[in-house]
Amino acid sequence: MALTVVVRTGTTDGPRLSFDAPRVVIGRGEGCELRLPDPSVSHRHASLRQRGPDWVLVDEGSTNGTWLGSVRLAPQAPRVIQHGQLVRVGRIWLELRLEHALVGPKSAEETRELALALVAEALAGAGEAHAPSVRVDSGPDAGRSLVLTRRQHPYVIGRGSDAALRLEEPDASRHHCELQWRAGQLWVRDLGSKNGTRLGERRLEGGSPQPWAAALPLHIGQDQLSFDDPVARALTELEHAVDEAVSFDEVPPPPDHPPAPSPAPQGDAPPPGAEERPVRSARAPERPSRAPLPSARRRGWTLTDTLVALLALAVLSLSVLGIFWLFRVD
């Protein structure tokens, strides 16, 4: 059964990823399958693991803990999850949905895209610039810039009147090169320009797009261009930051939302909404509860009781006579 993790914000659904893998690591680090760029989330915070027909949630020793609803999980103590349950890691609420669907393996680009989308949303909410931009640092067109507000849109640079970034550089062609922002990366492609386009010291050839690393300048004639991506820069800073402890007052309330539709039952899968339960070993079946002991009952005086009492009285009498006889002899 596939697992879909939805980042929840208030009453709305945020970014989501679906998985069908033995283990899904949740954290702030670059190697996590689900990257949550928030300093309250540890670099390796929690994991979701498949155990037979079930999925279990495990806290990986995080700073601020992993919460299944209102219950904090002990580190390394697996807990079976159910469809539609809410999980909190640091300040981030997640909704877990179990679905009968075919899911392919997740690439590093997909997990990075989700992290970048969360950072962009946070920057936009704070009123900060979050769109990547290209700027001419030196040359005849120094100071000109272009903001790439549309993802996967081709932006043309050149001397043509229809160019997104129009240059006055005489060695630039009308349609000199093209920029496109996709998968969290800026790509540049030479459009068959007369004098060529250089990325760093390398000339772009063949008309195929090449990734533009932020550290490399782009040369068009005498113009030297650079680009800035505030979202990627913020993501890098967050990934290298130390864990930020969260006080109880900083914890956002759980999102208020109608329950997610339940998947169609299959096999012996547990019914949705079942009570949370810890994982038990397959060799350790649950011990049946012991029946309560019956309460003591009052009974009448039996013949056996009478005989025992007479025997005890006879022994006591003989003991008294023996003591009396010893004193008389003395």
Side-chain angles (χ1 to χ4, degrees):
M1 179 175 289
L3 173 70
T4 297
V5 183
V6 184
V7 180
R8 295 303 310 269
T9 305
T11 59
T12 61
D13 289 359
R16 69 181 65 196
L17 280 179
S18 296
F19 303 93
D20 190 6
R23 175 179 296 191
V24 177
V25 178
I26 302 171
R28 186 158 39 97
E30 185 176 356
C32 297
E33 284 76 23
L34 181 62
R35 296 168 66 183
L36 300 175
D38 188 283
S40 66
V41 178
S42 297
H43 289 81
R44 184 184 176 89
H45 196 107
S47 64
L48 291 158
R49 309 175 188 178
Q50 283 190 343
R51 294 284 178 85
D54 294 328
W55 281 87
V56 299
L57 177 66
V58 182
D59 180 82
E60 299 287 351
S62 62
T63 298
N64 293 300
T66 302
W67 299 74
L68 189 57
S70 60
V71 178
R72 180 169 182 168
L73 274 59
Q76 302 301 328
R79 178 77 63 162
V80 175
I81 64 170
Q82 305 297 333
H83 176 75
Q85 282 187 310
L86 293 174
V87 172
R88 180 169 64 81
V89 290
R91 299 188 188 92
I92 308 298
W93 281 99
L94 306 172
E95 182 181 346
L96 307 179
R97 300 178 182 176
L98 303 176
E99 301 173 333
H100 298 294
L102 295 177
V103 179
K106 288 290 168 287
S107 65
E109 284 189 358
E110 289 177 282
T111 58
R112 178 176 168 82
E113 275 288 293
L114 183 142
L116 291 171
L118 293 173
V119 174
E121 182 180 340
L123 292 177
E128 300 182 24
H130 59 279
S133 61
V134 174
R135 176 183 173 85
V136 182
D137 295 325
S138 61
D141 300 292
R144 296 191 180 187
S145 61
L146 171 66
V147 179
L148 310 178
T149 56
R150 299 168 62 185
R151 296 184 180 274
Q152 299 187 356
H153 176 77
Y155 291 90
V156 175
I157 299 177
R159 288 191 298 108
S161 59
D162 58 343
L165 178 57
R166 190 175 179 184
L167 305 178
E168 300 295 336
E169 163 60 43
D171 287 337
S173 300
R174 291 184 65 255
H175 293 168
H176 195 97
C177 65
E178 178 186 273
L179 303 178
Q180 191 177 50
W181 185 263
R182 54 185 171 85
Q185 175 68 59
L186 183 59
W187 299 79
V188 57
R189 179 169 71 97
D190 186 83
L191 297 177
S193 63
K194 180 179 178 181
N195 296 301
T197 305
R198 287 185 297 116
L199 186 58
E201 298 301 325
R202 181 169 58 91
R203 179 169 177 149
L204 301 181
E205 297 178 350
S208 59
Q210 300 295 323
W212 184 356
L216 294 177
L218 184 72
H219 298 278
I220 300 176
Q222 297 300 313
D223 283 340
Q224 178 174 301
L225 295 80
S226 64
F227 88 91
D228 177 54
D229 180 13
V231 175
R233 182 159 31 87
L235 178 61
T236 301
E237 293 174 359
L238 285 168
E239 287 176 345
H240 291 86
V242 297
D243 291 359
E244 179 182 296
V246 178
S247 65
F248 190 77
D249 296 337
E250 295 180 89
V251 175
D256 184 16
H257 71 293
S262 302
Q266 188 178 49
D268 297 328
E275 185 179 356
E276 302 164 7
R277 64 186 190 276
V279 175
R280 294 183 180 272
S281 169
R283 296 192 177 187
E286 296 185 19
R287 181 180 298 175
S289 58
R290 181 179 296 175
L293 295 174
S295 59
R297 294 178 296 176
R298 299 182 63 87
R299 59 182 182 176
W301 192 266
T302 64
L303 178 61
T304 303
D305 295 334
T306 303
L307 294 175
V308 171
L310 291 175
L311 180 60
L313 184 60
V315 172
L316 181 60
S317 300
L318 290 175
S319 300
V320 172
L321 289 175
I323 294 173
F324 178 77
W325 177 260
L326 288 175
F327 279 109
R328 183 176 180 184
V329 169
D330 293 339

